[in-house]
Structures are given as structure tokens and as C-alpha cells.
């Protein structure tokens, strides 16, 4: 079954994905990078138990840049991923909004290739109209307006 046959799928928010580098990395002072410049690096992924499917998105981002990432460590939270990058254990990719987390010794590096987005999506059954659902959708789409 194709999801869109039974459900309405709407993007609520999209955030650019950045590379995370230790602040001592050779590329840390660049305004932006091509992700391919990190192809030889060790990458930090996310625990499949905590974030199922996240490593597929990491692989997809790197694939769009032209390489397969060497995922060698797996973090169980965004904070632990940032800490591993700060400790020089590898590089990572993460939505830019995670920059709001404390990240000493880590640089969130914009990518000029590929430009890739993490998307938050709302999904609801097509045949389930309800006043509460309408109000919920109104709140979500007003507070997360995509520009």
C-alpha cells in the first residue's frame, strides 16, 4: 500500500542538515563545505533503538554527496552525538535546529552540497474528519509555517 492512498501526508517543518565537526577540524573555519570533503572520515550514527531509521537518513545524505559513510560509533541521544564529535571520535550530520543544544568544541557546518533537509511530517487518515483534528492541524501549521 502507498501511504498517500489512505493518508494525507503534509510537511510541517523542514530544517537544513549540517555537518558536525570538532572545532579543531581542518574544515572548521570554512563558511560551508561539500559533504564529499568528509568522505574519508569516521561518522557517528544514532542508536537504532533510540532513533530507528536515522542512520538510513545519514546514509542517504552522504549518498547524495557521492559516498557511503563509515558509521563506526552510535550515539543514544543528540547530546551524546555532539559529545562524541567534540571528543574527536568522528564527524556527524544533524538538523541545524540541534545547534540550540550546548555544543562546546563542535562546529555546525552548513553544507553547500548536498543541501538536504530534515522534515517533520503530519499524517492523518483521509476519511477521518473531526473538529479536534482540524484545530490540531491549524495549530501545527500556524506555529511551523514553512517559508
Amino acid at each position: 500500500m502507498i501511504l498517500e492512498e489512505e493518508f494525507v501526508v503534509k510537511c510541517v517543518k523542514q530544517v537544513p542538515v549540517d555537518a558536525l565537526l570538532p572545532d579543531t577540524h581542518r574544515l572548521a573555519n570554512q563558511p560551508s563545505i561539500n559533504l564529499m570533503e568528509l568522505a574519508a572520515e569516521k561518522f557517528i550514527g544514532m542508536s537504532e533503538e533510540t532513533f530507528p531509521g536515522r542512520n538510513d537518513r545519514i546514509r542517504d545524505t552522504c549518498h547524495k554527496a557521492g559516498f557511503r559513510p563509515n558509521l563506526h560509533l552510535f550515539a543514544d541521544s543528540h547530546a551524546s552525538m555532539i559529545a562524541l564529535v567534540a571528543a574527536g571520535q568522528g564527524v556527524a550530520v544533524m538538523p541545524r535546529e540541534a545547534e540550540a543544544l550546548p555544543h562546546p568544541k563542535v562546529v555546525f557546518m552548513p553544507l553547500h552540497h548536498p543541501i538536504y533537509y530534515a522534515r517533520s511530517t503530519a499524517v492523518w487518515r483521509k476519511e477521518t474528519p473531526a473538529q479536534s483534528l482540524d484545530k490540531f492541524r491549524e495549530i501545527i501549521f500556524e506555529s511551523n509555517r514553512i517559508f
Side-chain angles (χ1 to χ4, degrees), residues 33-123:
I33 63 168
N34 181 325
L35 189 58
M36 178 59 103
E37 294 178 86
L38 302 178
E41 304 274 348
K42 292 181 178 177
F43 275 73
I44 299 164
M46 297 299 285
S47 161
E48 281 296 325
E49 287 181 16
T50 310
F51 293 93
R54 183 66 56 92
N55 293 320
D56 291 337
R57 283 192 240 151
I58 293 169
R59 286 182 192 97
D60 190 46
T61 304
C62 294
H63 176 73
K64 288 189 184 324
F67 70 96
R68 182 172 175 84
N70 173 11
L71 292 171
H72 81 115
L73 288 175
F74 299 91
D76 60 4
S77 70
H78 288 104
S80 63
M81 179 182 259
I82 291 169
L84 288 167
V85 171
Q89 295 299 307
V91 298
V93 290
M94 187 181 288
R96 184 172 295 162
E97 67 186 1
E99 192 172 19
L101 295 170
H103 58 279
K105 299 184 179 183
V106 171
V107 173
F108 276 71
M109 178 61 61
L111 299 173
H112 58 257
H113 180 77
I115 297 174
Y116 196 80
Y117 294 93
R119 291 178 173 85
S120 297
T121 307
V123 179

